[in-house]
Amino acid sequence: MNQDHHRRLGSDIGLSCLMKTFHYPRTNRMSIALATVWSFADREDGAFAHQLLDDARRLLASDLPGPELSVLWRAGTFGDFDLEACGIEGRQWLTWIEEIAEYRITWNVGNAPDPVDPPPARGLGEAVLGEIAMVAQALEPATAGHAYAAVPGVVPALRRVTAEVDPDLGFRLLLRVLKAYFVVIDPERVEAYRELAELLGLEKEVVEDGDFNVRRD
């Protein structure tokens, strides 16, 4: 199965998809969290492990500090698995995700997966940054000011992932956070997300999973 096939699985992919699997009831038990990662990496005979490994490796290779990675995780999961409550930070958690995904891949191929390639030079970083800017005024208070799942600093963290790590991952994380916090967006934004997803080589299900809170005038 080639790398493109690992991105076309009829759903979201990678870290953003893993975040969606953490949902109510909330848990602060590490054993449950790790079992969730194992189950996710095993989906489709290990196909889901490939993009998960790429996402984790790219973030770990970046300069984003542990607390900023924790911000992204907490926002993407709506706080349904709280790293801080378990006494760990973002880099440690991503390291465990990386190890699980890599180990699952070796079951199929018999040896360690190849090192992750640099993100393709798609020239779409500015487009993703533009989409972040379009919703920043709504997204920042929705995340930082939430009554029981408050996470400050989400928008700057998304910008850093997009500009410094991978626009593809930045885009998927943006959509995940918008959906997790049920931020109201205009229909025009959904159409823009469809177009951008196609340019990034993502399937329509990354956008069209029914979780957006679209303004109905």
Side-chain angles (χ1 to χ4, degrees), residues 22-23 25-34 36 73-74 77-88 93 96:
F22 285 84
H23 49 75
R26 297 184 172 191
T27 178
N28 292 326
R29 292 178 57 188
M30 184 56 66
S31 60
I32 294 176
L34 291 173
T36 300
W73 177 262
R74 180 168 171 78
T77 62
F78 197 56
D80 283 334
F81 173 57
D82 191 341
L83 300 180
E84 185 177 346
C86 288
I88 61 172
W93 178 236
W96 288 338

Side-chain angles (χ1 to χ4, degrees), residues 3 50 53-58 61 98 102 105 109 111-119:
Q3 185 62 31
H50 290 263
L53 178 61
D54 284 357
D55 287 350
R57 282 180 168 177
R58 286 187 175 124
E98 176 190 35
E102 182 173 356
I105 292 169
V109 300
N111 49 42
D114 294 332
V116 63
D117 293 328

Side-chain angles (χ1 to χ4, degrees), residues 91-138:
R91 284 195 164 269
Q92 179 62 71
W93 178 236
L94 283 176
T95 297
W96 288 338
I97 291 174
E98 176 190 35
E99 291 172 352
I100 290 170
E102 182 173 356
Y103 191 70
R104 180 59 187 86
I105 292 169
T106 65
W107 296 358
N108 289 353
V109 300
N111 49 42
D114 294 332
V116 63
D117 293 328
R122 301 185 183 95
L124 294 172
E126 289 301 320
V128 177
L129 288 170
E131 291 302 328
I132 295 172
M134 290 292 294
V135 296
Q137 279 193 311

Side-chain angles (χ1 to χ4, degrees), residues 132-144 155 178 183-185 215:
I132 295 172
M134 290 292 294
V135 296
Q137 279 193 311
L139 182 57
E140 189 59 45
T143 50
V155 170
L178 287 170
V183 177
V184 179
I185 59 173
R215 189 187 309 277

Side-chain angles (χ1 to χ4, degrees), residues 146-170:
H146 197 275
Y148 59 89
V151 187
V154 172
V155 170
L158 288 171
R159 287 184 179 128
R160 286 199 66 181
V161 172
T162 301
E164 302 175 29
V165 182
D166 181 11
D168 177 288
L169 177 55

Side-chain angles (χ1 to χ4, degrees), residues 182-217:
F182 212 48
V183 177
V184 179
I185 59 173
D186 294 324
E188 292 79 9
R189 297 273 54 76
V190 179
E191 184 58 36
Y193 299 154
R194 291 190 185 108
E195 295 174 3
L196 191 46
E198 184 175 358
L199 292 171
L200 288 163
L202 297 167
E203 289 193 285
K204 65 180 182 179
E205 288 83 0
V206 175
V207 176
E208 299 175 14
D209 61 357
D211 287 350
F212 274 132
N213 183 11
V214 182
R215 189 187 309 277
R216 307 295 184 191
D217 295 330

